[in-house]
Amino acid sequence: MSARVLLLGGTGDALRIARALGPAHVYSLAGLGRVPADLPCAVRVGGFGGADGLARYLADEQIALVLDATHPYAAQISANAARACAQARVPYWALRRAPWQPQPDDDWRMVDDWTGVTQAIAPYARVLFTSGREPLAHLDEVPAHQHWTVRCLDAHPGHARAQVIDARGPFTHEGERTLFAAGRFDVIVSKNSGGAATEAKLAVARERGLPVVMMRRPTLPPAQREFASVQDALDALANLNQRNIDV
Ligand code: NAP
């Protein structure tokens, strides 16, 4: 792989790709989470300043290809990347993890946003949020009849009617069973992230007959090439070498 690649990351999948990139390539993080210190490629942290800023970065750094391996709910950076690539005439590739599909015994309640989440959980008392940090901004709004457990990547002292679990996947089936039994949840809130690392919660919700309030995926821009797995993306990057990145 000779041409310079910008890998947009912030996910476990992106980190696996970054581990395979040599020193000419750049792994980019928003700066919200941990920054790995042991990567063979260069690492940059922080926003680019919108699509225009990213287009300038692509030109300044002579990036020949962008691979978007951000989270499926990180819609802004993906939209910016698609626009910047079009502007800078750089190919835009994306790793697009397939969403989970409901199984026959699943009880998914589809919602679009935070308002939809609060409406869907209203009848329930013990709520497990596995949808990121958004509930942390609403801990003062926990209704009197509810207790929230929020599992996310951020450490937080919690609240009188909320517990915050600072944990990073992958999560095992047994671990999720233990958590669900201890928490006595009667509903869970999830994004449809796809992939195996955080899927066990859905199996345990199914076992326990719990409803899952599922946040719909945002619309993402089309990419010139889309990969369903890390391996497919790595294979395509490896092929660049042979094709001399005439993409
Ligand atoms: P977002 O709303 O799509 O992006 C917000 C802004 O953050 C972007 O406009 C960009 O700033 C900057 N940004 C995002 N990802 C970046 C990257 N990889 N490198 C450089 N700048 C980046 O993103 P988000 O939902 O806040 O997620 C932030 C990061 O966390 C993403 O990288 C994503 O992969 C990761 N993540 C998100 C979720 C989720 O549920 N949303 C879950 C797990 C991990 P500028 O406009 O200034 O360039």
Side-chain angles (χ1 to χ4, degrees), residues 6-12 14 27-33 44-51 53-54 68-80 97 131-133 153 191 193:
L6 173 66
L7 172 65
L8 300 171
T11 61
Y27 180 45
S28 175
L29 292 164
L32 303 177
R44 68 163 299 288
V45 180
F48 297 96
L54 179 50
D68 177 359
T70 59
H71 192 271
Y73 286 72
Q76 186 62 59
I77 185 68
S78 293
N80 291 352
R97 216 156 47 185
S131 50
R133 64 170 57 82
L153 299 180
K191 287 178 174 165
S193 302

